[in-house]
Amino acid sequence: MNKIKLMSHLVAGYPTNELAYQAARALVKGGADILEIQLPFSDPSADGPAIQTACTQVLSRGYKTADGLKFIEGLHKEFPNVKIYIMSYGSLIYTPGIDAFCKKASECGVTGMIIPDLPFDHDEGLTASCKKYGMENIPVAAPSMSDERLSKLAHSGFKYIYAALRAGITGTNTKIDEATLSFLKKVSAGGSLVYGGFGISNGEQSAALAESVEAVVAGSVFVRIISENQGDAKKLSQAVEAKAKEICNI
């Protein structure tokens, strides 16, 4: 099998800026094609314990959205050819003004925005602002959507759609079965490229998804590895790189 594309998730500044940069380097070295950077948020509605804990720890340092954007800017300078997407929640980008936020994000090197709590058809102008500044708004599809609504999203003309492979929160194991693959077919029915994630943590899962998605998304698994190895930077880098290679089938 060929290398599987990977979108890897990191919480900006976790556990420290330097260790977060080291983790990002290890992800890229391990084959990650896209770095999905989460701006720490106090009450993430879909994130499981690993990511919630990471966000809480970063925020306890007084970390601001501006710090997260500066972190992303540093990543872009180091890896100008790696796509960087922001994952955040609506209030963080709505408060400063969506247009102003998108302008700043694009200047930092961001090429895509994933904002799960802004629905594709009531996005407060996010899609238009992303287009204005050369970015993609990447809406989220969930298995809980009705077939009618899922079809409407699939045929709305988005270049990419993020498919959450099951309901609930991230971080627990996801079984890839016929229902999962059927859902992914519905998401891609309008021609959008699909990123599939939620509970992806090993090569067996990514191999099962590979033919149905543009890239596999893995997040909590890396956050847990970073958390477990934050006292040993070398071990952290090695473990993150090894897991990325496993998921990418390298």
Side-chain angles (χ1 to χ4, degrees), residues 143 165-166 173-185 200 204-209 212:
L165 299 177
R166 57 170 170 72
N173 193 55
T174 296
K175 182 181 178 184
I176 311 303
D177 55 19
E178 285 304 314
T180 308
L181 301 181
S182 175
F183 168 63
L184 289 170
K185 280 185 181 178
I200 302 304
E204 184 180 350
Q205 291 170 303
S206 60
L209 287 171
S212 301

Side-chain angles (χ1 to χ4, degrees), residues 117-135:
D117 57 345
L118 283 183
F120 71 95
D121 48 355
H122 293 87
D123 69 3
E124 303 292 344
L126 177 61
T127 299
S129 290
C130 283
K131 186 175 182 180
K132 179 178 176 181
Y133 297 110
M135 301 188 296

